[in-house]
Amino acid sequence: MLVFTNLHQKHAFWYNICVEITKDQRELAAARRREFDDLQNEIAGRETGRRARFLKDGAGSDSEKKKKREEQQALTRLAQLLNDPVYRAKYDSVVHLLAEAERATETAIARITDQIRAAEADLNDIMERAARLPDGTRVYRDAEGFVRREDGSVVEDYLVDTIIWTGDEPSFEDLQSAKTQLDGLQAALDDVQGYQYDILGPARDEISDPDDPPSLSDLDDIENAIQSQMPKAVQEQMPQTSAATPEVATQSIGLPKLGG
């Protein structure tokens, strides 16, 4: 029980009590206003510089914003571009064309390699059946009756007299034809392999880069290079629609679903 010695002490006591109550009420009111403002800011998704306290899992909360940022960052640039139907159609078209060209190129390389082996066997057979000079040099009679070495030089008459003919030797034209055939096949193989390494390889790398994918214009360039630089040996192995002119091929190629 409080005991006051005089009236002044009593008034002072109750005055201090009233001041404290008023101060607490003001602070409580201010705190409530801040809470109301923070709630409205969180609902609106506005940054306040303070951690979210009300909508921790809501659309405007820090955790939700962080989650959205992480999801956006997880999407590669290519994935973002593929959300555009125009880009997706063009990308799928080029991917399909590239895949067809890659398969046709592998088939062409295999076929030419087999043909080279056969041509080498034919050339070896011709060389084995050739007539020979005493020193073992192979010689061949041409259509005009001249006897020539493999390099085309004419054999001297005194050496011609030393040759023993059997009658079934290959001619100089047979040798030249076999060499021309082999050289042509080797050139075709070099051409196809160059196309594979210089055109298809870089195209595959470019369209497969998830973080730096080709633009629409780049896709046009890739498509044009695949079509315009395609060797004849590869064209012969392409499906009819894919081997057409670039304009026709673009209209004819289906659009497969990625990952399907």
Side-chain angles (χ1 to χ4, degrees):
M1 180 177 179
L2 295 175
V3 178
F4 301 103
T5 59
N6 55 54
L7 186 58
H8 176 72
Q9 287 181 344
K10 181 178 181 180
H11 286 168
F13 173 78
W14 286 111
Y15 174 79
N16 289 333
I17 292 297
C18 290
V19 169
E20 291 298 327
I21 293 174
T22 302
K23 181 180 178 181
D24 290 343
Q25 289 175 336
R26 287 199 301 269
E27 290 178 353
L28 179 60
R32 287 177 176 174
R33 284 196 299 272
R34 285 195 301 271
E35 290 180 351
F36 178 79
D37 291 342
D38 286 347
L39 174 60
Q40 299 306 308
N41 286 327
E42 288 183 29
I43 292 175
R46 292 189 290 267
E47 294 288 347
T48 65
R50 295 185 293 275
R51 291 185 63 182
R53 297 180 297 142
F54 303 100
L55 306 178
K56 295 186 182 298
D57 297 323
S61 68
D62 290 344
S63 61
E64 183 64 21
K65 291 176 183 176
K66 181 180 179 182
K67 180 180 178 182
K68 286 187 176 180
R69 284 195 299 270
E70 291 174 347
E71 290 175 349
Q72 186 66 21
Q73 291 170 356
L75 282 177
T76 64
R77 176 59 179 159
L78 176 58
Q80 295 174 31
L81 287 175
L82 289 175
N83 286 327
D84 178 358
V86 174
Y87 184 91
R88 178 61 181 255
K90 185 66 176 182
Y91 183 87
D92 285 351
S93 174
V94 174
V95 167
H96 183 66
L97 174 62
L98 175 59
E100 293 284 8
E102 288 172 331
R103 285 191 289 269
T105 298
E106 291 292 346
T107 301
I109 289 174
R111 289 174 64 91
I112 294 173
T113 299
D114 289 343
Q115 291 171 343
I116 287 176
R117 293 195 186 100
E120 288 175 338
D122 288 344
L123 179 59
N124 288 335
D125 177 66
I126 288 173
M127 295 172 68
E128 286 296 322
R129 294 188 294 110
R132 296 176 184 267
L133 296 177
D135 63 0
T137 300
R138 299 182 183 91
V139 292
Y140 308 84
R141 194 187 302 276
D142 67 15
E144 296 179 357
F146 293 101
V147 177
R148 299 179 181 273
R149 299 177 179 87
E150 288 181 355
D151 63 3
S153 60
V154 176
V155 177
E156 295 81 357
D157 290 342
Y158 75 93
L159 289 176
V160 172
D161 294 337
T162 67
I163 300 172
I164 299 176
W165 302 94
T166 63
D168 63 348
E169 294 87 357
S171 67
F172 184 71
E173 286 77 16
D174 291 334
L175 175 68
Q176 291 298 98
S177 177
K179 285 185 174 181
T180 298
Q181 174 73 5
L182 183 58
D183 290 344
L185 289 170
Q186 188 60 59
L189 180 61
D190 293 343
D191 195 21
V192 173
Q193 289 178 330
Y195 175 72
Q196 183 182 50
Y197 298 141
D198 299 334
I199 302 299
L200 300 185
R204 174 59 64 182
D205 291 341
E206 191 169 359
I207 68 171
S208 300
D209 190 335
D211 299 315
D212 187 22
S215 64
L216 273 174
S217 177
D218 293 334
L219 289 173
D220 284 336
D221 292 341
I222 292 171
E223 181 181 53
N224 180 66
I226 292 173
Q227 291 280 7
S228 63
Q229 301 297 319
M230 186 180 293
K232 182 179 179 181
V234 177
Q235 294 179 24
E236 292 172 350
Q237 305 306 320
M238 287 284 286
Q240 184 175 0
T241 53
S242 298
T245 61
E247 293 78 13
V248 174
T250 301
Q251 298 171 2
S252 302
I253 295 170
L255 304 179
K257 300 297 182 183
L258 293 184

